[in-house]
Structure formats: C-alpha cells, structure tokens
Amino acid sequence: MMNILLLRKYVWKFLRILEISLCSILICALLAMVGACSSLLSLPTSGGISQIPRKARQDRLIYSNPPGPQKNAEPEDIVRGFLDALPSGLQRGSFSVAHEFLSSTVRHSWKPRASSTIYTGDLGVQREARNLDGTGASQLITVAISVSIVGRVGLDGTYQPVQQHKKEILTFKLTKAKSQWRIASLDNGVLISRQDFDQVFRQVTLYQPSRSCEAFIPDVRWFGRHDWKRYALSQLLSSPPKWLDRVVRNIVEYKVSLVSVSGDNSAVRVTVSSNFAVLPRDVQALVVRMIKLTISGHDDDSSVSVYAGENDFTHADKNVKYTSSSASQSVYSVSSRHLLSLALTSAIRVGEIPIDVSQPSFTYSNHKAVIIDGNHRAQCIDSDGSACGVLFDGQQVSYVTAGMGLQVWAVSADGRSVMVAQNEQRTYQRIQLNLPAQYVIRSIAVSPEGERMVVVLSQGASAQTVLYGIVRNDKKEVAGLSDSNLTLSYKSNISMASFYNDTIVVYATNPDGSGVQRAYRQSMPGLEIAQSLPEVPVIAIAAGQISSSQKLAVLCVDRTVRGIGGSLTGGWQIMDTQAVALSQR
C-alpha cells in the first residue's frame, strides 16, 4: 500500500513539471510569432503613404503634426497637403508647414489670420486648367476646390453664419519651383472643417461694460488656441462691435493698448501701455476687471495680474460694482387658470388668471402677470386675479416677454415693430426695426441682464435670427435698439427663441408638413448644434430655475411643460401638466 502511495506522489510531481514546461514552450512560441507578425504587418512610414501622427495632451485636444510636401507630388496633392496643414497652424501659432506648400513669393504675402472659413462635408478637388509651353509641358495649373461653407470667423474673432451652407469654388494656381509644384496664388485666410473647429478655436467671452447699468455684457469671440489671450485682449481694448454701439462704454477713447501677455493659466501677467497709470481710478478699475473677466471668467481672479510698466494695478478693481453674473430667472406657467412658479421641486401657485389666454407667451414680475387675451391685447392681471389695465393703449400684439426691471416687451400684430412698456407706466414706446421688405417679427427674447435682444424674423419659409443691443438713456429707460445687428442663424421656419444662460441661445422651428420639428443651440454667435426636443410638438420655450436648477423648459401641444438641464443633452422630464402658457423672469 505504501509503495502505491509513493508511486502516485512521484507521478503527480512528474505531470506538474511536464505541464509547466509545455506552458513555457507555448508562451515562447507565441512571443516569437507576435514578433514575426509585428515585423511583417507594421505600416510603412515612407513611400506613397503619408502619416499624420497625433498627440493627445492633458487638455484633451488632439494636436496634429502634418507632413510637408512629398517629392514629385501632383498639384492636387499639394493643395490637399496645404489644407491639411492649416488646423495645426492655428493650434500652434505657426504656419511653417503650410508655408512649405507655397512659392517663395506667396509665402511672404499670404495672410492666414485674415479670416477663417468653416466648411462641412467633403472637399471636391479638381484640376481645372493647364497652360502648356512650346514643348507641351505644364507651366501653370489651376486646382479648384468645391466646398460647402457654414460660416466665417473674422480677424476680430466674430463668427458669422452663411445662408444655407453656401457652395463656393476656391481656386489655387500652382507653378513649378525647382521642378516641384508649389501654390503661387491663393486667397488670404484659412479653410477649416467643422469637425476641426473645436480643436482649432477657443471660445472667449469679452466682457463689455454697459452704459446704463452696472453689468458686463458678454461678447463671444473665437480665436486660434495658440496665443488667444493676446488676440482677445487686443480686441477688448479696441472699439466694441457695431451691434453694441451706444449700448456699452467705449474705452477706446482712453487709448490703452496691450503690451504683452505672459505666463500660463495658473499665473498670467498682463502688461498695458504706460498711459494707463494716469487714467482716472474708476477707469483703471473698470479696465482691470474687464481684463480679469476675459482671461479667467471670474470677477476677482488672483491668477491674473495687471501691470502698466512696473506699476502693479492688479487690485485696482477691488471696489468695482460692475458684475458679470445675472440674477437667476424663474420659470412660470399658466395651468388651469392658476399662475404657477416652477422654481422649486413642487410647483407653487403665485396668482390667478381669470380669463382665457390666447397665446402661449406671457410675463410675470412684481406680483403682476401680462397675458395676451382673446382680443390679442396685452392684459395686466394682479396676483389676486383682478385686472390691472391694458398695456400698449390696447394695441393688438402677437407676443410678449419680460425685460429689465418692470419693463414688458411686445411684438406688434403686424410683426413690423416691437413695443416696450416701462416701469408699469401706461405709456409705451414703439420701435421700428429696419427690416427687409416683407420680413416680419415672429418672436423676441431678452437676455438675463436685459441689454440684448434676440429677434426671430421670417419671410415665408425663409428666416433670420439676429441679435440687437438695447440702447438706454440715463434713467435706464429704453431709447431704442442698436442700429446694427448680428446675424445668428439663417435656419428657415424658426418661430421661437430663448436665452438658456448669458451666452447660449436656443431656438426652434414649427413642425413642417411632415410633422418634423427641429431646434438648435449656439454660443452666440457660433456654430449651430442640433438640440433634442420631446416627441410631442413644442409651442413655446423658456429657461430659468426649475426644480432648484437651471433648465430649458418647453410647452408642448399636449399642455405639458417639460424640462432639460445641464449641457442640454439628457432626457426631458415633465414639470407641469394642463399648462397653456409659459414664461421666464
């Protein structure tokens, strides 16, 4: 028996040793095969295939390293290589690789920062013409690029959309230099794909000081990610855009200029011209606060220091009363003739609406509501349900919304003008907009700080959504709208709009003949992004505090109010039922 046990023990040890040996042999064989496959299947790094390696950095951006021109490349490939090198130029602040595709003459005259054209879809590249010498050899070749344009970013960083993805043909003329094709003629500026936009450009908000109130007005710009601080501050210290003319204080009269910007995001030093030291203290304080806000987005950021020469003005803004934050707005609905506040988790009744509401827009402030009654008049209703008068002398209106303080804005019934009633007065002002022929105003939206207005215009199926500045007098009363406007969108059939916050606007169409309804959002002005909507058609939109957080709200045809928050990419939740009107304040 003992012998049998010893035999089993030795057999077991032998099998374990054999198993380990076989596993080792198998692993070595696999490693050898992998090494062999690696050498056989690795991609070539030379010849006809061009590699564009990309490096991921901690800022989560993708930085491309485009190659220069290949030897004996065809004209079409030279143009493609040049276009591939453009995003890297804006990212890194150097167009050295793009310059390699240009002739020596054009290399010094081409101005890449003159403008940026944003396109979508694929580029159509075609050799258009060739000129031959006496031997039949090509001396000049024209390559045409067919592209669908969605917008442009100007030298000042302002984004401008184009109508309905405009098709354009861009031409590049090429000649030979030292037997190699090079671009000898092209337009100034760069061509950037929509997919590369966020990788190449940084959204920067310039904070312009209002003339009528102690608030900063956001002015969104887009600059190449390299050295964006320098370009942004240079624009901040220059004249404000035309659409804010007479709306903001123009500090250009003080002739402050930017000298330098140094440091990283953790410690930025801004140096301005020496004449800054002799300016009035209130001007110094205002400019320092504007610089800090533009660089960091915070009212008082210790990471940003401001100097004039060797004089430190970093804390000159400690007593500035201007603020960049707007008071949070609440969202209200009219439901079963009750006026409800949706600001908290549960809806709270704040008033009564004893008459039928004919339009889904209304306003509420200072315990008073203004609704559009069955006769299309703006009717004032006290919180106890009693009537408190008719606004705008009983003129018919098609839309009402709230403005700064107790101001109430309305769109005239003919859609050619806007009206504003100020501080509960029965007097009002009519403002005629310089509209194109046959265009009418569909809806309006006033920004949280009350100094900007989005106006939705339409002409049949065509539409244009624009941004105006609101001009005020010394009493903070509305004196008119800015003479110029800024186009935000050319999307057709837009019928409603709302500010989601200080810089983001959301707008939506009516359902088309197939029942399809679309919505968009943008950091205005900027690229349009498709916004999801509930499956039920929407007839009004608003934004503000809902259930104790910032949300976008919509009123649907089934009389539900639904909300979505955060980045506006989640799911819609029902906030109210049996609603007939929606408002924000």
Side-chain angles (χ1 to χ4, degrees), residues 84-236:
D84 287 343
L86 295 180
S88 174
L90 285 176
Q91 280 183 328
R92 301 173 183 276
S94 171
F95 289 88
S96 57
V97 176
H99 283 158
E100 296 179 26
F101 295 87
L102 306 179
S103 68
S104 57
T105 303
V106 175
R107 193 174 300 166
H108 296 96
S109 62
W110 175 58
K111 296 179 176 59
R113 294 188 181 277
S115 68
S116 299
T117 300
I118 315 304
Y119 71 93
T120 186
D122 296 327
L123 295 175
V125 182
Q126 183 177 2
R127 189 178 300 192
E128 197 171 67
R130 68 173 67 216
N131 295 332
L132 306 178
D133 61 13
T135 64
S138 300
Q139 295 300 306
L140 177 66
I141 286 181
T142 299
V143 174
I145 302 292
S146 174
V147 62
S148 181
I149 307 297
V150 298
R152 290 183 171 87
V153 178
L155 184 62
D156 65 352
T158 300
Y159 178 88
Q160 280 284 336
V162 299
Q163 296 189 37
Q164 301 300 320
H165 291 191
K166 181 181 178 183
K167 285 282 187 180
E168 289 191 7
I169 302 295
L170 307 178
T171 58
F172 298 81
K173 293 182 178 180
L174 292 88
T175 59
K176 281 194 173 182
K178 297 181 179 179
S179 302
Q180 301 297 315
W181 288 108
R182 293 295 181 263
I183 298 171
S185 176
L186 77 166
D187 294 331
N188 286 324
V190 297
L191 192 63
I192 302 294
S193 72
R194 180 179 180 129
Q195 289 75 16
D196 285 331
F197 187 87
D198 290 333
Q199 297 289 328
V200 168
F201 289 97
R202 179 186 177 105
Q203 177 186 329
V204 183
T205 301
L206 309 186
Y207 286 91
Q208 309 280 4
S210 168
R211 290 180 57 188
S212 60
C213 65
E214 294 174 342
F216 285 106
I217 301 175
D219 176 13
V220 173
R221 308 289 183 95
W222 302 88
F223 298 103
R225 289 190 173 273
H226 179 83
D227 212 10
W228 64 268
K229 300 181 186 71
R230 179 168 65 88
Y231 288 100
L233 292 179
S234 295
Q235 289 300 318
L236 181 71

Side-chain angles (χ1 to χ4, degrees), residues 359-401:
Q359 297 291 328
S361 66
F362 79 101
T363 73
Y364 178 75
S365 64
N366 198 31
H367 307 292
K368 289 180 174 61
V370 176
I371 58 98
I372 301 177
D373 64 17
N375 294 317
H376 298 280
R377 301 178 305 173
Q379 176 74 56
C380 177
I381 305 293
D382 231 323
S383 59
D384 61 2
S386 61
C388 50
V390 176
L391 278 64
F392 311 114
D393 284 345
Q395 299 260 355
Q396 290 188 331
V397 300
S398 61
Y399 193 91
V400 293
T401 191

Side-chain angles (χ1 to χ4, degrees), residues 257-279:
S257 60
L258 180 69
V259 175
S260 65
V261 184
S262 58
D264 54 24
N265 292 332
S266 61
V268 178
R269 174 167 172 158
V270 178
T271 303
V272 296
S273 52
S274 59
N275 65 310
F276 180 82
V278 299
L279 294 179

